[in-house]
Amino acid sequence: MFSIGELSKRTKVKVPTIRYYEEMGLLPEAERTAGNQRRYDTAGLERLSFIRHARDLGFSIEAISSLIELQDHPDRSCEAATDIAASQLADVRAKIKRLKTLEKELSRISKGCDGDGMSEDCYVLASLADHGLCDQEH
């Protein structure tokens, strides 16, 4: 059995986050000692590791809940899990596309000013004040 502190160390998930996952129903409610301290078994450790990995990959709490539901019912089709992962991949690709657009615009703006002039003539500040100076929508 693991204390919440030990669980936190092993999974690198902060104690308040563990409590939050428990409140949200992602992590089963822990057993309690006579002193009311939480105690987690190996299944709790594995579940928290699963949640941590899914969060690292950017899955939402709702998606993780759905994935856990599937994991808890091994007789079900994995089609829903594949759909959830595909949706997350599409979201990540959209974010990457947006970040590339931002990178391009920020690079252009920062090159528009050599930094030697006065702030009243600064192209960076002018670009931030007037969206019309941007090359593209972002």
Side-chain angles (χ1 to χ4, degrees), residues 7-109:
L7 201 66
S8 175
K9 286 178 190 172
R10 287 177 179 246
T11 60
K12 296 180 176 53
V13 176
K14 294 180 180 178
V15 169
T17 305
I18 295 171
R19 290 185 186 124
Y20 171 74
Y21 291 157
E22 197 174 303
E23 289 173 20
M24 296 299 297
L26 296 179
L27 194 60
E29 192 172 319
E31 293 181 27
R32 300 284 183 147
T33 65
N36 205 30
Q37 293 182 334
R38 288 175 168 89
R39 291 287 183 246
Y40 298 88
D41 58 12
T42 303
L45 174 66
E46 290 170 357
R47 172 64 54 87
L48 186 57
S49 295
F50 178 95
I51 295 166
R52 167 71 195 263
H53 191 197
R55 291 297 287 158
D56 286 347
L57 290 170
F59 286 97
S60 68
I61 296 295
E62 181 180 276
I64 294 169
S65 180
S66 296
L67 292 166
I68 288 171
E69 177 70 19
L70 289 167
Q71 188 181 46
D72 286 346
H73 296 91
D75 56 321
R76 293 185 185 169
S77 167
C78 71
E79 182 179 7
T82 301
D83 291 346
I84 292 168
S87 177
Q88 179 60 19
L89 178 58
D91 288 349
V92 166
R93 286 180 173 156
K95 287 175 187 174
I96 289 170
K97 182 179 179 183
R98 183 172 184 277
L99 286 171
K100 285 181 179 179
T101 300
L102 291 176
E103 178 187 34
K104 185 177 178 182
E105 189 60 27
L106 286 168
S107 177
R108 189 191 68 76
I109 289 171

